[in-house]
Structure formats: structure tokens, C-alpha cells
Amino acid sequence: MTTALDSSTQQRVDKWLGGNYDAATKESIQHLIDSGNVTELTDSFYRDLEFGTGGLRGILGVGSNRMNRYTVGAATQGLSNYINAAFPGEDISVAIAHDSRRMSPEFARLVADIFSANGIKVYLFSSLRPTPELSFAIRQLGCQSGIVVTASHNPPEYNGYKVYWNDGGQVVAPHDKAIIAEVSKITSVDDIKFEGVPEKIHLIDEEIDAPYVERLKSNAVNPDVIKRQADLNIVYTPIHGTGITLVPRVLDALGFTNVHIVEQQATPDGNFPTVKSPNPEERAAMQLALDLANELNADLIMATDPDADRVGAGARNHHGEFELLNGNQMASLIIYYLLNAWKDAGKLTGKEFVAKTIVTTDLIDQMCKNYGVTCYNTLTGFKYIAEVIRELEGKEKFIGGGEESYGYLIGDFVRDKDAIASCAIIAELTAYAKDQGKSLFDMLMAMYQENGFYYESLVSLTKKGKSGAEEIQQMMADFRANPPKSIAGSPVVRVDDYKALTRLDAQSGKSSAIEAGKMGIESSNVLQFFTEDGTKVSARPSGTEPKIKFYVSVREPLESKEAFDDTYAQLKAKVQRVIDELQLT
């Protein structure tokens, strides 16, 4: 066995077998050795599980590259050391929540014990709660930091945790890299303070739930419409996750009386037994909700992911068939509805703003321009949107924002994407449409008629292993060295390179700087090409997976609702032309 492992992997195995680890862990490692499972042993020990800029994420199991008591413990000890150093002399506290995944309650308690052992007061949710409520709790309780134990919508064998700072947003520079440096200093299991201090751990639940629900109710912009459309026929599924704790409660608090839960997916379960992937971006995860919606002739379908920060939604289209709206469409509809509501209420003073990511539809930019509202664009990741909100706090008023990957935020009392708030506003805007004798899809088509029909598609290419990583690097290098002169018959007029932080005017040949260091922008390996006719192509290697992603956006005017199908087909054909021309396969 020893000859089958490289030296660094073998050293990690020996360290765990000989170190101060519990007997069950050592037995599991010995079983891997005795069974000759070299592949599993190597995967478990060939490296230390990376503590990235957002926190931890990995497969559950024994070993240095797995989520377990010791890797979670080391990360939390390093974070504790950083927090204590960052707030000297202060009465430091943290909030902790967890989702429905395997080991999530155990990891949450472990993290609480380690924080308390390091002299930090802990507010621990007594049972599972959505990620956005953790963000709310940090601000509500005046905490310096927070943790939510979750692996979002990853497969069941994964878990992880996300780290938040005192503004309720996920950690950003300079704290992110400084925390990573501190975590890397924890080189021995003996460095970790596992013995919790019970008097420093305080359980929380309704004292946070109630004010959170009240703040969510305050997001409603047309409560009278909800009263008139209280019987809006809604189907909702939490896909075995945390959304069950608050989505039905919030919809009830707003006044919706006809909400149907998909019972097969209502019970929290980290095995996610009814789906291959608990991801509302995938139609298969929403199939049970679609079936129930058809049976009940529902007006609206909504599904939240396990930690309830993303939501998928669907409504009947103009052919009477249920259609699932993508993240760009729903983000646009939410902003369209809010902009109109704020305008009607006389609340647009010129100091309001919307925030989104650079790969999210430019339809939102266009609508904001029409209403005299600033739209800030950030790098991919909601932590950057939270950073913009923090920078502008007290100067400008946040209306809402989102990203194409099904995450949206309304109001600023939460600083992460919030599927609970999103379900509430999606139900309200659907009720608003119905109050006018229309559907959610009618509202979508009206938005396109007013602002242009924007259509987006994502091409995600998986390139595994060392050769795959090199291939991805080469693709980006080729695009930088030889950017396309035209795309789908339209000249490229602008090239944005976020790695070099430069913006090239392709017509004049002049280059200018993209300002970094604030407002959600820093150096990142992203390229964007803009054409004369409004086509946009973004290239972005994934930071966490062996993938490169291409975001393609095209647009055409929509002359009438009757022209929707033809225009839609035209846009899809144009996207395919872009994919073929740029060889995005």
C-alpha cells in the first residue's frame, strides 16, 4: 500500500493514523488501507481541503481533503483566531445556522463549541434555517461574523460552510485572504480547541424568526393587491431543504391563503430522495411541483434550494403550458415590478440603485436607465453585491438586485441572495398581474415589448484533470490574443478584460482602465465581448470546478405579443450561431 501513494499523501495518512484523532476515524482510514482502495485513500488525503474565499466545501468522509470534524475544526480555529485579532477588546459574537444536509446539525454544534472555546459568544439556531436568515441574524444581533453550514445545491455527499462578516455579507477583501492565511497556520489537530463553553452558546429561533418575517412583510409594495388576490393558486416545494421553515409562513403572513406544498419534498432530508440534484435551476428538480401545478391548475410554481438562497419559478405561458423562467427572466421581472412600483409611489428621487453581476442580463441595465436609477455591475458572486450595498449605505437607497443563477435580493436588511424574500415578491407580482387580468408570462412579454427582448444562454464546458485545466487556460489565452472582430455578423465594439482590468474600444483602439478596489470589482479571469447590435459574450473559468462558462446574450425588439414565438425562435437561432462561430463546444 505504501508504494501506491505519493510521499506527501502517505505523510498525511501517517499523520492521521498517529495523531490525536478519534478511534473511529483511525479505523475508517485503516479500512481504506486494508481494502486496497487506493483511489479513495488518495482522494481523501492528497491535499488539505481548501478553505477558499467563501469558506469550505467538500465531500463528507475521513481525511484531510474531506469534510469532517477535523477539517471543519481547523478552519473554525483559524477563523476564531482571525476574528479575535480583528476585534481586539470587543465583546465578540457570532451567529451560526445550518441546512438539512447530512452532518449539518453536528457541524453547526462543533463550530459553536470551537468558537465558544476561543472566548467568543455564539448565537446558534436551534434547528435548520435558511441562509438569508443567518445574514439577517448577524445584523439583528450585532455580531462580528457568522457561519452557515451548507453546500448549497451540491449533491448529497457534499457539505461545507460559508463565512459572513459583520455587515451580514460573505467575507470579501481584505478579510477573505487574511482568514485563509490564518486557517493555513493550523497545522496540527492539537491546535484546535474542541471543548465548548456551554454558557457562551445561546440558542435562538423565534426571536429572530419573528422580526425577519416582519421585515419581509415590509417589502410588499402592493398589499391591497394581495388582499384582492389572496386565493392566488401557488404550488411550492422546498426540495427537502430549509425553505419549509419560512416560505409558507411568510406567504401566510402576507395574506396568501391558497398555497400547496409538494408533500413528497416537504420533509427536510439531506439525502434528497426524490431528486438527482436539489437544484431549482434544473427542470427535473421541479418535476413534482410541475405535476402538482398541472393537477391543481395553479397560477405559480416556486422551488427553493436546500439552504433557500435560490428560487426557481414557473407560470403558464401564452399557450397555456407551464414554463419555467430562467434566472435572467425572473431577476428582470422582479426589478421591472419594483421599478414600476417605486415610480408609482413617487419614491424615485435619483438616489436609488440596483445591483447585479456582469454576466446577468443587460435588460436590467436598460430598465434602470429608463427609470433614472443607477445599475451597478459586480463580479460574479453575491458577496460583491453585498459589498456595493455596504459602500453606498446612507448615501443611496438599494431597491433590489440579483444574478442569473437564480439568486435575488429585495431590500437591504439581508446581505445575501434571499429565496424567502424572493418567493414573497414573486407571489406578489404574480398577484399584481392577475389583478389586471394577466398572467406572470403576460407581464414578461410586456416587459420585453417595452425594453427589448433579451435572451440569454449558458454554455458550460467541463475539462477535467491537469490537461483540462491547461485547455481552459489556453482557451482564455487565445481569446485574449485573438479576440473576435465580429460575432453573428455584428462588429465587436468593446472588449472588457477583468484580469487586466482594461476596457478596449475596438473601433478607436483606445484602452481605458476598469476601476478596481471598490464596489464589487477586482482582478478576475473574465473576458467580455460586446457587439454593435447588442450581443454580449462573457467567458469565465469556474473558480471551484473544472469548467469554463460562456454566457451568451442577444436581443431584438418585440413588436407585439403575437410576435413572441417568432422572435424567440430568431433569438435562439442567433445564440446557436454565436456558439458555432466561436466554437464554444
Side-chain angles (χ1 to χ4, degrees), residues 50 52 54 59 67 76 265 349 402 409 440 453 459 485 488 517-518:
E50 182 181 358
I59 294 172
M67 282 288 294
T76 307
Q265 297 176 325
T349 67
L409 179 62
L440 184 64
F453 193 160
V459 178
K485 299 290 188 292
K518 63 177 183 178

mmCIF file of all heavy atoms in Angstrom, residues 50 52 54 59 67 76 265 349 402 409 440 453 459 485 488 517-518:
data_model
loop_
_atom_site.group_PDB
_atom_site.id
_atom_site.type_symbol
_atom_site.label_atom_id
_atom_site.label_comp_id
_atom_site.label_asym_id
_atom_site.label_seq_id
_atom_site.Cartn_x
_atom_site.Cartn_y
_atom_site.Cartn_z
ATOM 1 N N GLU A 50 -9.402 22.742 0.794
ATOM 2 C CA GLU A 50 -9.104 24.163 0.635
ATOM 3 C C GLU A 50 -10.133 25.040 1.332
ATOM 4 O O GLU A 50 -11.341 24.877 1.140
ATOM 5 C CB GLU A 50 -9.058 24.519 -0.851
ATOM 6 C CG GLU A 50 -8.695 25.981 -1.113
ATOM 7 C CD GLU A 50 -8.685 26.321 -2.595
ATOM 8 O OE1 GLU A 50 -8.920 25.410 -3.422
ATOM 9 O OE2 GLU A 50 -8.427 27.484 -2.914
ATOM 10 N N GLY A 52 -11.488 28.304 0.898
ATOM 11 C CA GLY A 52 -11.480 29.323 -0.148
ATOM 12 C C GLY A 52 -12.000 30.653 0.351
ATOM 13 O O GLY A 52 -12.237 30.848 1.548
ATOM 14 N N GLY A 54 -14.820 31.898 0.078
ATOM 15 C CA GLY A 54 -16.184 31.847 0.618
ATOM 16 C C GLY A 54 -16.312 30.942 1.823
ATOM 17 O O GLY A 54 -17.314 30.975 2.527
ATOM 18 N N ILE A 59 -16.526 16.798 -0.001
ATOM 19 C CA ILE A 59 -17.243 15.539 0.204
ATOM 20 C C ILE A 59 -17.083 15.107 1.661
ATOM 21 O O ILE A 59 -16.002 15.249 2.250
ATOM 22 C CB ILE A 59 -16.695 14.465 -0.753
ATOM 23 C CG1 ILE A 59 -17.013 14.854 -2.203
ATOM 24 C CG2 ILE A 59 -17.261 13.091 -0.435
ATOM 25 C CD1 ILE A 59 -16.355 13.958 -3.240
ATOM 26 N N MET A 67 -14.785 16.761 4.259
ATOM 27 C CA MET A 67 -15.493 17.481 5.317
ATOM 28 C C MET A 67 -15.681 16.531 6.494
ATOM 29 O O MET A 67 -16.365 15.504 6.376
ATOM 30 C CB MET A 67 -16.857 17.952 4.803
ATOM 31 C CG MET A 67 -16.822 19.176 3.928
ATOM 32 S SD MET A 67 -16.456 20.715 4.844
ATOM 33 C CE MET A 67 -17.907 20.869 5.888
ATOM 34 N N THR A 76 -12.359 26.413 11.542
ATOM 35 C CA THR A 76 -13.034 27.246 12.539
ATOM 36 C C THR A 76 -12.049 27.814 13.550
ATOM 37 O O THR A 76 -12.195 28.951 14.003
ATOM 38 C CB THR A 76 -14.125 26.429 13.254
ATOM 39 O OG1 THR A 76 -14.985 25.843 12.266
ATOM 40 C CG2 THR A 76 -14.957 27.320 14.168
ATOM 41 N N GLN A 265 -41.695 16.358 -0.965
ATOM 42 C CA GLN A 265 -40.425 17.065 -0.784
ATOM 43 C C GLN A 265 -40.466 18.039 0.396
ATOM 44 O O GLN A 265 -39.585 18.863 0.550
ATOM 45 C CB GLN A 265 -40.080 17.841 -2.068
ATOM 46 C CG GLN A 265 -39.871 16.924 -3.274
ATOM 47 C CD GLN A 265 -39.632 17.690 -4.558
ATOM 48 O OE1 GLN A 265 -40.190 18.764 -4.776
ATOM 49 N NE2 GLN A 265 -38.795 17.135 -5.433
ATOM 50 N N THR A 349 -36.096 59.207 -6.355
ATOM 51 C CA THR A 349 -35.572 60.554 -6.141
ATOM 52 C C THR A 349 -34.270 60.807 -6.890
ATOM 53 O O THR A 349 -33.723 61.908 -6.827
ATOM 54 C CB THR A 349 -35.316 60.775 -4.637
ATOM 55 O OG1 THR A 349 -34.247 59.900 -4.229
ATOM 56 C CG2 THR A 349 -36.568 60.478 -3.809
ATOM 57 N N GLY A 402 -29.797 41.072 -8.272
ATOM 58 C CA GLY A 402 -29.778 39.639 -8.469
ATOM 59 C C GLY A 402 -28.704 39.190 -9.425
ATOM 60 O O GLY A 402 -27.932 39.981 -9.958
ATOM 61 N N LEU A 409 -32.353 39.580 -4.372
ATOM 62 C CA LEU A 409 -32.454 40.251 -3.075
ATOM 63 C C LEU A 409 -33.330 41.480 -3.216
ATOM 64 O O LEU A 409 -33.199 42.231 -4.180
ATOM 65 C CB LEU A 409 -31.061 40.654 -2.573
ATOM 66 C CG LEU A 409 -30.998 41.396 -1.232
ATOM 67 C CD1 LEU A 409 -31.540 40.529 -0.101
ATOM 68 C CD2 LEU A 409 -29.570 41.829 -0.919
ATOM 69 N N LEU A 440 -48.296 35.956 -15.132
ATOM 70 C CA LEU A 440 -46.895 36.328 -14.970
ATOM 71 C C LEU A 440 -46.200 36.366 -16.329
ATOM 72 O O LEU A 440 -45.368 37.239 -16.589
ATOM 73 C CB LEU A 440 -46.205 35.323 -14.046
ATOM 74 C CG LEU A 440 -44.749 35.592 -13.675
ATOM 75 C CD1 LEU A 440 -44.616 36.876 -12.875
ATOM 76 C CD2 LEU A 440 -44.175 34.415 -12.880
ATOM 77 N N PHE A 453 -36.477 42.428 -26.289
ATOM 78 C CA PHE A 453 -36.478 41.010 -25.930
ATOM 79 C C PHE A 453 -35.030 40.555 -25.808
ATOM 80 O O PHE A 453 -34.308 40.415 -26.788
ATOM 81 C CB PHE A 453 -37.204 40.226 -27.031
ATOM 82 C CG PHE A 453 -37.567 38.810 -26.669
ATOM 83 C CD1 PHE A 453 -38.566 38.144 -27.378
ATOM 84 C CD2 PHE A 453 -36.928 38.113 -25.635
ATOM 85 C CE1 PHE A 453 -38.915 36.830 -27.077
ATOM 86 C CE2 PHE A 453 -37.268 36.816 -25.321
ATOM 87 C CZ PHE A 453 -38.270 36.163 -26.052
ATOM 88 N N VAL A 459 -23.355 28.275 -21.794
ATOM 89 C CA VAL A 459 -22.638 27.093 -22.262
ATOM 90 C C VAL A 459 -21.563 26.783 -21.225
ATOM 91 O O VAL A 459 -20.690 27.611 -20.954
ATOM 92 C CB VAL A 459 -21.979 27.329 -23.642
ATOM 93 C CG1 VAL A 459 -21.203 26.081 -24.071
ATOM 94 C CG2 VAL A 459 -23.024 27.695 -24.678
ATOM 95 N N LYS A 485 -13.409 39.720 -34.199
ATOM 96 C CA LYS A 485 -13.665 41.045 -34.788
ATOM 97 C C LYS A 485 -15.159 41.299 -34.950
ATOM 98 O O LYS A 485 -15.618 42.437 -34.929
ATOM 99 C CB LYS A 485 -12.974 41.159 -36.161
ATOM 100 C CG LYS A 485 -11.460 40.996 -36.104
ATOM 101 C CD LYS A 485 -10.814 42.192 -35.418
ATOM 102 C CE LYS A 485 -9.296 42.166 -35.524
ATOM 103 N NZ LYS A 485 -8.668 41.083 -34.772
ATOM 104 N N ALA A 488 -21.702 36.873 -34.934
ATOM 105 C CA ALA A 488 -23.015 36.714 -35.562
ATOM 106 C C ALA A 488 -23.329 37.875 -36.508
ATOM 107 O O ALA A 488 -24.447 38.391 -36.540
ATOM 108 C CB ALA A 488 -24.102 36.565 -34.503
ATOM 109 N N GLY A 517 -10.821 47.753 -6.752
ATOM 110 C CA GLY A 517 -10.573 48.098 -5.363
ATOM 111 C C GLY A 517 -11.800 48.524 -4.595
ATOM 112 O O GLY A 517 -11.750 48.717 -3.394
ATOM 113 N N LYS A 518 -12.927 48.702 -5.272
ATOM 114 C CA LYS A 518 -14.153 49.041 -4.558
ATOM 115 C C LYS A 518 -15.350 48.651 -5.415
ATOM 116 O O LYS A 518 -15.238 48.337 -6.592
ATOM 117 C CB LYS A 518 -14.208 50.536 -4.236
ATOM 118 C CG LYS A 518 -14.241 51.439 -5.462
ATOM 119 C CD LYS A 518 -14.377 52.898 -5.052
ATOM 120 C CE LYS A 518 -14.484 53.816 -6.275
ATOM 121 N NZ LYS A 518 -14.672 55.219 -5.899
#
